[in-house]
Amino acid sequence: MDKGHLGGGGGGGGLLALDASPRQLGFLNLLSPAPFLRNMEADDGGGGGRGRRSIEVDFFSDEKKNMKKSRASAGADADDQKDQASAAGLAIKKEDLTINLLSGNNTRRDRSMVVDDDGASRADEDSNGRNTGELAAMQAELSRMNDENQRLRGMLTQVNNSYHALQMHLVTLMQQRTQMPPAQPQQPPTHEEGKNESAIVPRQFLGLGPSGASAEVAEEPSNSSTEVGSPRRSSSNGNEDPERGDNPDGPSTAGWLPGRGMTQQQQLGAAAKGHDQQAQEATMRKARVSVRARSEAPIIADGCQWRKYGQKMAKGNPCPRAYYRCTMATGCPVRKQVQRCAEDRTILITTYEGTHNHPLPPAAMAMASTTSAAASMLLSGSMPSADGAGLMSSNFLARTVLPCSSSMATISASAPFPTVTLDLTHAPPGAPNAMPLNVARPHAPGQFHVPMPGGGMAPAFAMPPQMLYNQSKFSGLQMSSDSVDAGQFAQPRQPMGLPGQLSDSVSAAAAAITADPNFTVALAAAISSIMAGQHAAGNSNANNNNTTKNNVTTTSNNTTSNNTNSETQ
DNA sequence: CGTTTTTGACCCGCGC
DNA sequence: GCGCGGGTCAAAAACG
Ligand SMILES: [Zn+2]
């Protein structure tokens, strides 16, 4: 019954000993001109665990941790939207906001106030009734402003939050539409609710399920369905066998386990759930988005937390392929596999699969929605084979997603799964970027350089978040314009009104929508991180350890790998 | 003590 | 039906 015994085991990670010094490099890179999408070793992606000492390339900078901390220390006081909101994402935003505010009007007053205050004591002695009065008044005003400030912050947070939620929702919807025949159109929209949705949506998202709202319960099944692919093996304990169809729920108790066998049979019950979903999910699952980038680091920091659950020698190349799964939420179906390119070991290929079922920090959003958008486009674009549509969409996508990078997107039909590949490895000099501003600056090979709209980072700092937002939007539009009708994208711009009906255009629009904001977010993150970096530099987290074993997988030896089935059976 | 990594065993689809 | 190969599971070890 059991799967047979336990495997072998054990591990060994002890080898980590070999640290290299790449860290330094990382820092250097950090400092280098191209801040966004820069290589950065740091960032321990994950949290806890044994330090993953690794250098990571950080596409979408994420130092959420730092951010959080700093924010907290800053005295964020209340603002507890907690969860959803709290996610680093907002944190970052907040940070920005805060910064701006400070630099703006308040600051001066603040400072002056403070100064006065200090001086006050002395002044007091001198006895200035008037001053005192003024002081009081100012204080009052100050507090009022603070108040307001906070309130605004809160609002912003909320808005931001719901925006993201909507965004995700949209993607989901789009996918659903694509998949479903005309028939039952209206379901999804149901939960718009507007306000609260922020909390709900994300979860539901995961479920994708119609009923989603009820979340927990619904989720389970759906979730399992999500896993779709995996259920098969649910072997773990004999339970599963019987499962096929029964046991609706043993409820949630078991709930969240990732499905896999985990002793839960129920999951299959989910199967019943409905073909659509299943089908849809299946498709989703199939769609893959892979990103090729140059990186010394063993993995790319995309803002999510990943747990490695497997490693295998790939057939065609000496480098092993590692499998990771998202651990930000318990049931998150997202997986990714990382592998080094055989010919050029400096190229790291990261393949994402699935959609997150939980809110993400902005840093993660960037990558996540990029991939999800890519996936949807891929799926919606009818089969990849169709060059016309396929290519176009891919190009569009590439441009949308990483406007400034010279990335190229390609869709391969050959693979078992439809796959979109974003290639960030070439750095064509004269790249035809959407933004003419491109600073032609010699960059390190392989780094994408992201020309800021302003022509450099510096100016960007000064800009308030909104400016950034607009700009990014702008750039997005511009890009999109050349391949598709810009008009369509214009609509989505309104944060709220989502017309979307046409499947294709919708998907395109969705892509645009999702992509743009992300870009923004990424920028914001990058900027704020940099800013933070100034004082926080020393901070432990800042760039964390990445010791790195520089060489990728030292595992080379692993004889093991090829084993496949060699053994029993 | 909770997490994450390591790693051999499993599972399963597919081609022959 | 067998075997290959891609993925996944999960015990045990490594970390913090
Ligand atoms: Zn996730």
Side-chain angles (χ1 to χ4, degrees):
Chain A
M1 321 232 187
D2 292 343
K3 66 170 359 169
H5 92 251
L6 11 146
L15 315 182
L16 305 182
L18 348 145
D19 293 351
S21 45
R23 244 191 214 181
Q24 311 277 343
L25 292 181
F27 278 107
L28 291 181
N29 280 337
L30 244 175
L31 297 181
S32 76
F36 166 41
L37 302 181
R38 71 208 182 256
N39 268 352
M40 149 176 164
E41 328 217 353
D43 172 84
D44 89 7
R50 75 207 262 357
R52 29 185 81 182
R53 331 182 137 185
S54 48
I55 303 183
E56 302 182 348
V57 171
D58 186 349
F59 273 116
F60 307 87
S61 79
D62 50 323
E63 333 255 341
K64 21 187 167 180
K65 291 185 180 171
N66 287 340
M67 299 311 296
K68 253 188 182 166
K69 281 187 183 171
S70 58
R71 182 189 48 160
S73 61
D77 311 334
D79 69 41
D80 325 345
Q81 303 267 350
K82 292 220 158 148
D83 272 342
Q84 2 146 7
S86 67
L90 300 179
I92 288 175
K93 282 269 173 168
K94 279 181 191 167
E95 182 88 332
D96 281 355
L97 184 64
T98 305
I99 290 172
N100 281 328
L101 286 179
L102 289 179
S103 61
N105 13 357
N106 288 345
T107 313
R108 287 179 193 169
R109 286 223 170 151
D110 239 3
R111 279 182 196 160
S112 56
M113 263 319 250
V114 174
V115 172
D116 278 347
D117 214 2
D118 286 347
S121 49
R122 297 176 214 151
D124 220 7
E125 293 173 4
D126 293 355
S127 77
N128 289 339
R130 242 190 281 165
N131 284 346
T132 315
E134 280 181 24
L135 202 168
M138 290 180 89
Q139 254 170 353
E141 194 181 344
L142 199 170
S143 66
R144 204 185 22 136
M145 289 183 100
N146 276 343
D147 240 14
E148 194 171 335
N149 184 346
Q150 266 185 1
R151 221 161 14 105
L152 286 177
R153 244 196 283 170
M155 284 167 86
L156 192 148
T157 292
Q158 201 143 2
V159 170
N160 200 21
N161 207 27
S162 45
Y163 179 76
H164 279 166
L166 259 181
Q167 191 176 308
M168 290 182 84
H169 193 82
L170 204 172
V171 173
T172 305
L173 264 181
M174 191 188 67
Q175 291 167 1
Q176 285 187 348
R177 272 218 180 130
T178 307
Q179 304 292 335
M180 301 181 170
Q184 315 128 350
Q186 306 317 345
Q187 282 202 330
T190 53
H191 342 327
E192 288 306 324
E193 275 142 35
K195 311 185 176 175
N196 307 334
E197 89 212 89
S198 58
I200 299 176
V201 171
R203 292 178 126 218
Q204 151 193 3
F205 182 63
L206 145 151
L208 292 181
S211 52
S214 19
E216 324 228 84
V217 182
E219 244 166 306
E220 271 196 21
S222 58
N223 183 17
S224 49
S225 65
T226 328
E227 304 239 282
V228 167
S230 42
R232 50 175 182 198
R233 78 179 103 3
S234 40
S235 49
S236 65
N237 295 328
N239 307 349
E240 102 251 35
D241 286 346
E243 93 263 42
R244 284 320 139 167
D246 41 336
N247 253 346
D249 45 327
S252 10
T253 65
W256 277 119
L257 299 187
R260 80 219 40 118
M262 285 348 261
T263 70
Q264 284 316 323
Q265 326 120 339
Q266 46 153 359
Q267 50 171 242
L268 295 197
K273 201 136 195 201
H275 301 41
D276 324 354
Q277 260 193 356
Q278 202 162 357
Q280 170 182 349
E281 300 247 340
T283 355
M284 266 325 262
R285 220 185 166 233
K286 278 186 177 178
R288 292 182 173 186
V289 178
S290 74
V291 177
R292 305 178 82 234
R294 283 178 197 282
S295 157
E296 291 298 317
I299 70 168
I300 290 173
D302 49 15
C304 271
Q305 295 186 327
W306 303 93
R307 184 171 68 228
K308 186 174 185 176
Y309 67 88
Q311 172 169 310
K312 275 223 137 185
M313 290 307 276
K315 184 180 64 178
N317 86 38
C319 303
R321 169 187 301 164
Y323 300 88
Y324 297 84
R325 120 185 335 154
C326 173
T327 58
M328 294 193 83
T330 331
C332 186
V334 176
R335 312 241 146 107
K336 83 171 177 184
Q337 37 185 261
V338 178
Q339 179 167 39
R340 211 124 225 170
C341 181
E343 309 86 42
D344 185 349
R345 304 254 179 129
T346 64
I347 295 179
L348 197 62
I349 304 173
T350 306
T351 304
Y352 295 86
E353 172 180 342
T355 309
H356 291 281
N357 65 20
H358 52 87
L360 295 166
M365 273 311 273
M367 182 60 98
S369 47
T370 290
T371 55
S372 111
S376 352
M377 290 195 73
L378 177 70
L379 294 177
S380 67
S382 66
M383 291 331 235
S385 56
D387 16 1
L391 287 182
M392 197 181 81
S393 62
S394 66
N395 277 336
F396 168 71
L397 194 159
R399 267 181 256 145
T400 304
V401 169
L402 294 173
C404 308
S405 71
S406 45
S407 70
M408 294 175 48
T410 57
I411 295 180
S412 77
S414 59
F417 314 100
T419 305
V420 178
T421 303
L422 297 179
D423 193 337
L424 305 178
T425 59
H426 321 246
N433 293 326
M435 297 307 281
L437 304 181
N438 271 340
V439 192
R441 200 188 281 149
H443 281 288
Q447 294 335 348
F448 353 19
H449 96 245
V450 178
M452 299 282 283
M457 279 310 267
F461 284 116
M463 291 183 213
Q466 297 197 345
M467 279 303 280
L468 286 178
Y469 180 79
N470 287 339
Q471 291 231 354
S472 65
K473 272 266 157 126
F474 174 65
S475 62
L477 286 176
Q478 187 151 10
M479 293 182 288
S480 61
S481 68
D482 57 36
S483 55
V484 191
D485 182 352
Q488 297 189 350
F489 299 102
Q491 301 209 342
R493 272 175 115 177
Q494 270 96 18
M496 287 316 211
L498 305 175
Q501 291 291 346
L502 348 167
S503 60
D504 269 349
S505 57
V506 170
S507 63
I513 292 175
T514 53
D516 284 348
N518 292 329
F519 180 69
T520 303
V521 170
L523 276 182
I527 293 172
S528 50
S529 68
I530 289 174
M531 293 181 94
Q534 293 184 342
H535 44 68
N539 223 337
S540 55
N541 289 340
N543 289 309
N544 239 345
N545 20 315
N546 297 313
T547 20
T548 350
K549 2 169 124 212
N550 73 38
N551 85 36
V552 195
T553 27
T554 45
T555 42
S556 47
N557 310 349
N558 276 346
T559 54
T560 74
S561 35
N562 287 336
N563 62 1
T564 30
N565 312 345
S566 47
E567 296 256 313
T568 28
Q569 210 156 5

